[in-house]
C-alpha cells in the first residue's frame, strides 16, 4: 500500500497510511487521491461543516468494501478536533465530531470517510436548526432533469413565502438539494413543519411532477420532496462530499444559473478541484444570511385550519410523535380494514 505520507493542511500535519490503497477501482483513485481532493476543496467543505455535529460515512476498504456510518466520535480522534453532544429521537445521546479546522476533514479521510453528514445545527445550540434543507429526490421513471424543473419552481415558492433564498447543490446522484440558512429559533419539529408546507405548496403547483407522499406506493413518477430529511438525526451529504459510487461523484454547490445547465456527471473527485481553484466556494456567502420561517409556518397553519392538512408520517425508527397520523402504508391499511 506504500509508505505513509504526511499532508500539510491548515497549519497542521496529517499522517496518511496506505496512501496507494485503491478506493475507486473504476477510476483508479486511491486514498491519497481522496485526501488530496479534500485538501483542494478544504475551505469549501469546512464552510459546510464548521461547528456542526457530523456523522462520518466510512469505507475503509473503498467503495467495494464494507461500510458504516460512524455517529460517535472515534476514540482515536485527536484532541484538537472538538465534539458536540447531540440527542437522538430514541433519547440516547452521543458526542459527534464537530469540525472547526480544515485538517479535520483530511484526518477523517485517513480513516476512509468518503461522505460527511453534518447536522443542520451548530455546536452552540444543537436543538435549533440554522438550515432548512430541502431534498428533491427523483423516483423511478424520473431523472435529474425532472429535479431541475422542480428546483426552479421551488426557488419561486421560497421567494414568495418569506423572501427566502436557497442555495442549490447536486446530491452526487440524480437529485438536487436546496439549503436555506435560517435563524436558529425554531425546533426540529417546527422546521420539519415548514418543509411540509413547502412540499404541499409544490404539490399544488406541480401535482403531476412533485409529491410529498411518504409511502413509495403513492409517489408515482414524480419528484419526492423528502420532508423527513428535516427531522432530528436525519442528515444530508455536505457540499463537496465524495459520494460512494464507482465514478467518484461529489455533491457540487451550484449557482442558480447553472441549475439545468450543469449535470451531476460534471463533478467528481478529478474535476471539482479545478472548478474550486477557478471559482472558489460558490456558496461562500451562505453564512451571511439567516431567514425567518414565520411565513412558511403561517402557511402550515392555514393548511391545517382551512384544509385539515396536519402532520405526516415520520420515519419508521422514530417513536410515535404527537399529532402524527397512523404510520401504516395505505395498501396494508386497506387490506386490514377489509378483513
Amino acid at each position: 500500500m506504500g509508505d505513509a505520507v504526511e499532508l500539510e493542511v491548515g497549519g497542521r500535519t496529517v499522517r496518511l497510511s496506505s496512501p496507494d490503497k485503491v478506493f475507486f477501482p473504476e477510476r483508479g483513485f486511491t486514498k491519497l487521491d481522496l485526501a488530496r481532493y479534500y485538501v483542494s476543496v478544504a475551505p469549501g467543505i469546512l464552510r459546510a461543516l464548521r461547528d456542526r455535529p457530523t456523522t462520518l460515512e466510512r469505507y475503509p476498504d473503498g467503495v467495494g468494501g464494507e461500510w458504516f456510518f460512524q455517529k460517535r466520535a472515534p476514540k482515536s480522534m485527536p484532541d484538537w478536533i472538538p465534539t458536540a453532544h447531540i440527542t437522538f429521537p430514541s433519547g440516547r445521546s452521543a458526542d459527534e465530531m464537530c469540525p472547526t479546522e480544515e485538517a479535520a476533514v483530511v484526518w477523517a479521510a485517513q480513516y476512509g470517510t468518503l461522505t460527511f453528514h453534518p447536522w443542520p445545527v451548530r455546536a452552540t445550540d444543537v436543538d435549533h436548526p440554522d438550515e432548512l434543507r430541502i431534498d428533491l429526490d427523483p423516483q423511478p421513471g424520473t431523472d435529474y432533469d425532472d429535479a431541475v424543473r422542480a428546483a426552479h419552481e421551488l426557488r419561486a415558492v421560497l421567494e414568495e413565502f418569506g423572501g427566502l433564498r436557497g442555495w442549490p447543490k447536486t446530491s452526487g446522484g440524480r437529485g438536487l438539494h436546496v439549503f436555506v440558512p435560517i435563524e436558529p429559533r425554531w425546533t426540529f419539529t417546527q422546521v420539519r413543519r415548514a418543509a411540509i408546507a413547502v412540499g404541499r405548496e409544490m404539490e399544488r403547483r406541480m401535482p403531476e411532477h412533485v409529491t410529498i407522499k411518504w409511502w413509495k406506493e403513492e409517489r408515482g413518477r414524480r419528484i419526492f420532496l423528502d420532508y423527513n430529511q428535516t427531522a432530528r438525526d436525519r442528515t444530508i451529504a455536505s457540499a463537496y462530499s465524495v459520494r460512494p459510487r464507482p465514478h467518484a461523484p461529489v455533491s457540487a454547490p451550484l449557482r442558480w444559473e447553472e441549475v439545468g445547465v450543469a449535470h451531476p456527471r460534471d463533478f467528481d473527485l478529478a474535476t471539482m478541484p479545478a472548478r474550486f481553484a477557478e471559482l472558489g466556494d460558490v456558496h461562500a456567502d451562505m453564512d451571511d444570511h439567516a431567514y425567518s420561517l414565520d411565513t412558511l409556518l403561517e402557511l402550515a397553519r392555514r393548511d391545517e385550519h382551512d384544509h385539515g392538512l396536519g402532520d405526516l408520517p415520520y420515519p419508521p425508527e422514530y417513536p410515535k410523535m404527537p399529532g402524527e397520523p397512523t404510520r401504516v402504508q395505505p395498501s396494508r391499511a386497506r387490506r386490514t380494514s377489509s378483513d
Side-chain angles (χ1 to χ4, degrees):
M1 298 297 179
D3 296 332
V5 299
E6 293 184 339
L7 298 176
E8 299 295 324
V9 54
R12 292 195 184 273
T13 300
V14 179
R15 183 177 183 273
L16 199 74
S17 63
S18 304
D20 297 332
K21 179 185 284 189
V22 176
F23 270 26
F24 293 90
E26 182 177 293
R27 305 288 301 278
F29 296 139
T30 64
K31 181 198 277 192
L32 182 58
D33 293 325
L34 175 70
R36 284 176 170 164
Y37 163 77
Y38 278 127
V39 171
S40 73
V41 298
I45 192 166
L46 181 61
R47 188 267 311 155
L49 301 178
R50 189 190 304 274
D51 298 323
R52 298 189 183 279
T54 300
T55 297
L56 308 178
E57 187 176 349
R58 291 178 54 188
Y59 290 74
D61 295 313
V63 292
E66 297 291 328
W67 65 278
F68 57 95
F69 288 106
Q70 179 142 13
K71 294 187 175 185
R72 299 178 186 276
K75 293 181 179 179
S76 60
M77 195 170 73
D79 57 12
W80 53 266
I81 301 178
T83 61
H85 193 73
I86 47 88
T87 302
F88 303 116
S90 64
R92 296 191 300 271
S93 61
D95 294 318
E96 284 206 345
M97 175 185 181
C98 196
T100 57
E101 302 182 37
E102 295 175 358
V105 178
V106 180
W107 175 86
Q110 147 66 13
Y111 290 91
T113 301
L114 298 187
T115 307
F116 295 82
H117 296 266
W119 281 48
V121 301
R122 306 283 182 170
T124 52
D125 186 354
V126 295
D127 293 316
H128 295 89
D130 68 345
E131 288 181 343
L132 169 64
R133 298 174 174 179
I134 299 171
D135 180 9
L136 299 173
D137 184 11
Q139 299 303 290
T142 64
D143 57 21
Y144 180 73
D145 290 338
D146 296 300
V148 165
R149 182 176 179 184
H152 285 299
E153 188 61 42
L154 171 63
R155 185 185 187 187
V157 169
L158 292 173
E159 172 62 31
E160 182 173 338
F161 289 93
L164 308 181
R165 175 186 168 193
W167 277 254
K169 68 183 185 72
T170 67
S171 67
R174 299 187 305 138
L176 277 165
H177 303 150
V178 178
F179 286 10
V180 181
I182 60 174
E183 300 167 7
R185 58 187 179 95
W186 294 278
T187 65
F188 278 92
T189 301
Q190 290 171 311
V191 173
R192 179 177 173 275
R193 188 70 172 134
I196 290 172
V198 169
R200 285 179 168 143
E201 182 63 23
M202 290 285 290
E203 279 188 325
R204 284 189 282 265
R205 297 183 182 206
M206 308 180 75
E208 301 301 317
H209 301 285
V210 174
T211 182
I212 57 168
K213 298 293 186 183
W214 177 245
W215 304 107
K216 291 182 180 180
E217 65 187 32
E218 294 187 302
R219 294 178 191 169
R221 297 175 59 174
R222 292 178 286 184
I223 298 297
F224 173 48
L225 193 148
D226 189 353
Y227 62 89
N228 268 330
Q229 290 291 46
T230 53
R232 180 185 287 271
D233 193 32
R234 295 295 284 253
T235 56
I236 293 178
S238 78
Y240 301 103
S241 273
V242 178
R243 306 313 309 275
R245 295 181 174 87
H247 61 289
V250 304
S251 180
L254 301 175
R255 298 167 295 195
W256 274 109
E257 57 267 28
E258 295 178 298
V259 176
V261 178
H263 190 274
R265 279 274 182 174
D266 298 336
F267 309 108
D268 59 30
L269 191 148
T271 61
M272 180 56 81
R275 173 181 168 88
F276 194 89
E278 178 184 357
L279 301 177
D281 179 15
V282 298
H283 286 189
D285 62 336
M286 273 189 68
D287 289 346
D288 297 334
H289 302 267
Y291 295 99
S292 171
L293 291 180
D294 285 341
T295 305
L296 281 179
L297 291 173
E298 176 57 31
L299 174 63
R301 284 189 287 270
R302 292 202 306 270
D303 279 343
E304 185 163 16
H305 182 270
D306 298 344
H307 306 292
L309 299 174
D311 204 356
L312 292 172
Y314 275 78
E317 70 273 16
Y318 277 64
K320 181 69 175 179
M321 302 296 287
E324 181 188 2
T326 302
R327 201 182 297 174
V328 179
Q329 66 190 72
S331 59
R332 181 176 297 177
R334 287 193 295 271
R335 288 198 301 270
T336 302
S337 64
S338 63
D339 289 343

